Amino acid sequence: MIQKNFELTKITPINSSITKLAFHAPEIANSVLPGQFINIKVDETTVPLLRRPFSVYYVQENSVEIVFGVMGMGTKKLTLKKIGDMLDVLGPLGKPFNVSDNEELSILVGGGLGTASLPLLQKHLIQKGKKVVTFLGARTKEYLLSSYLTDVRTATDDGSSGYHGTVIELLKHFLFENKKKNCKIYACGPTPMLVTLTNVTEEYNIRCEISLETAMACGFGICQGCAVELKNKEVGFALSCKDGPVFKSNEIIL
């Protein structure tokens, strides 16, 4: 785990509420695994007091990229940064996706900003020689984050891109047509989407790992603020920041 100040190198507005930042951080770019996250202290003041967690969107040429929406004061302050500013970054943190299973087809499913953990994951899966197909869902086409992703199927609530409906409905059509294949699903998105997805994976008996969007404060298990209920009642709870944010879908209660 690294804590260091890194120089902000690029700021790209995606739409009116989503921003992409890139910073030069070879130590993190060369060590982060798909599904891990970083914690950023947005400035030197105590407002907000806590760091903010972000999935690593992509890495290239010693640069780390994140995407985020404005959710409060911390993310608003990040949008006001300038190129050349220094970011106090802690990471990589958390448990990554397991990309070593032997599935015939890797299926990536992202909803809204949950897509942020998928491009780096696809990169690692392809490096493993796996075939990958991606399903993205969003309110409208302006909120679809498809950069770096290939073989993408989209679903939007208003029908402005791809399937008119939810990404899980679109996925179900695909699974029905490919039910004889050895598939594994990797997903991240809002909790209602993950609940529905978990039911679908049980129906089709498909392995599935999900990355939770639980709020994580300290990032390494000290504050105990990101507990996740487990189906194993003897263990009880896990911490999203330390034991996750990636879990097998059949191990947790959403």
Side-chain angles (χ1 to χ4, degrees):
M1 183 171 62
I2 300 156
Q3 182 180 359
K4 189 174 177 180
N5 290 325
F6 296 107
E7 183 179 358
L8 184 60
T9 55
K10 197 170 185 179
I11 305 169
T12 308
I14 304 297
N15 59 33
S16 59
S17 62
I18 300 176
T19 302
K20 181 167 71 174
L21 297 184
F23 54 94
H24 183 73
E27 297 94 333
I28 293 178
N30 294 313
S31 61
V32 66
L33 297 172
Q36 289 188 299
F37 66 97
I38 57 173
N39 264 7
I40 296 179
K41 183 174 175 56
V42 297
D43 61 22
E44 296 304 317
T45 72
T46 56
V47 183
L49 177 63
L50 302 173
R51 293 171 175 269
R52 292 292 182 267
F54 301 92
S55 296
V56 172
Y57 187 57
Y58 204 68
V59 298
Q60 56 182 339
E61 298 176 353
N62 294 326
S63 178
V64 176
E65 296 181 9
I66 62 170
V67 294
F68 61 94
V70 175
M71 303 297 181
M73 184 180 295
T75 44
K76 178 62 178 177
K77 284 187 172 182
L78 270 183
T79 66
L80 302 177
K81 296 288 185 183
K82 307 294 183 187
I83 293 175
D85 286 352
M86 303 301 287
L87 291 179
D88 181 345
V89 181
L90 178 68
L93 298 165
K95 174 185 167 187
F97 288 105
N98 175 16
V99 297
S100 297
D101 283 343
N102 62 347
E103 70 268 20
E104 177 185 354
L105 177 64
S106 304
I107 302 173
L108 278 53
V109 182
L113 283 168
T115 304
S117 62
L118 300 187
L120 184 62
L121 172 61
Q122 180 188 264
K123 181 179 183 180
H124 279 249
L125 289 168
I126 290 175
Q127 287 174 346
K128 289 277 187 179
K130 297 186 179 184
K131 183 179 180 182
V132 182
V133 59
T134 299
F135 292 80
L136 301 182
R139 286 178 285 167
T140 70
K141 65 180 181 181
E142 288 78 16
Y143 290 88
L144 290 167
L145 302 173
S146 58
S147 297
Y148 306 120
L149 294 168
T150 57
D151 199 356
V152 176
R153 324 287 171 90
T154 61
T156 48
D157 293 345
D158 67 349
S160 55
S161 176
Y163 179 78
H164 188 178
T166 72
V167 69
I168 303 303
E169 291 169 357
L170 177 62
L171 174 68
K172 286 182 69 174
H173 292 304
F174 179 85
L175 293 177
F176 182 79
E177 295 169 355
N178 294 272
K179 54 188 174 185
K180 293 185 178 179
K181 286 188 176 179
N182 171 21
C183 301
K184 179 180 176 182
I185 293 176
Y186 306 81
C188 186
T191 299
M193 185 199 90
L194 297 179
V195 170
T196 306
L197 174 64
T198 298
N199 293 335
V200 171
T201 59
E202 290 175 355
E203 176 185 348
Y204 282 87
N205 192 27
I206 297 175
R207 289 166 293 167
C208 178
E209 290 184 2
I210 57 179
S211 179
L212 301 182
E213 294 183 315
T214 311
M216 297 175 287
C218 72
F220 44 85
I222 300 299
C223 71
Q224 304 278 301
C226 57
V228 178
E229 188 173 3
L230 300 176
K231 290 184 177 178
N232 185 341
K233 299 301 181 184
E234 293 184 0
V235 180
F237 292 88
L239 295 177
S240 186
C241 67
K242 181 171 67 71
D243 305 308
V246 176
F247 295 91
K248 292 180 180 177
S249 63
N250 61 1
E251 292 182 342
I252 60 173
I253 297 175
L254 292 168

